[in-house]
Amino acid sequence: MPETGYLLAVLAVVFAITFVLRAAPFAAIDRLRASRLVGSLARWLPAGVLLILAASTVRSSAAGGRVWQALAAVAVTVVVHLVGGRRTLLSVGAGTVTFVLLVNLL
């Protein structure tokens, strides 16, 4: 069993690393807001997440024979995302509810 001093030293190092990693974005917030990369990520990341979610849903649904339900849910997700003001949570929720209803009711 490791000694108490060793365990305390490991915990101190882990605490310091965690604290620095959590505090670093707040220390650089002004530079991050002015960054073109962060602006681009904010613009494109929600669409990328939706694309990955759609591809994953269609792929896993194809194995279960539920392709048309998945494609309908993807279509609802895209329409709600574009019409609903690009609210990711709203569009993902609508697509998920659509998929669950189609799979369980039909």
Side-chain angles (χ1 to χ4, degrees):
M1 188 71 157
E3 295 188 25
T4 305
Y6 177 77
L7 291 175
L8 291 175
V10 167
L11 287 175
V13 169
V14 168
F15 173 77
I17 290 171
T18 302
F19 181 78
V20 169
L21 288 176
R22 303 260 179 182
F26 294 104
I29 194 81
D30 291 332
R31 284 178 275 168
L32 289 174
R33 285 193 179 141
S35 170
R36 286 179 45 193
L37 174 65
V38 172
S40 181
L41 284 173
R43 185 172 26 264
W44 291 104
L45 200 55
V49 168
L50 287 173
L51 179 66
I52 291 169
L53 178 65
S56 173
T57 300
V58 171
R59 181 174 181 245
S60 65
S61 297
R66 298 183 172 116
V67 176
W68 75 269
Q69 292 98 330
L71 291 175
V74 168
V76 167
T77 303
V78 170
V79 168
V80 170
H81 187 71
L82 295 176
V83 173
R86 297 184 179 265
R87 293 186 198 139
T88 305
L89 188 59
L90 178 65
S91 56
V92 169
T96 302
V97 168
T98 301
F99 182 73
V100 169
L101 288 175
L102 288 175
V103 166
N104 290 317
L105 295 178
L106 301 176

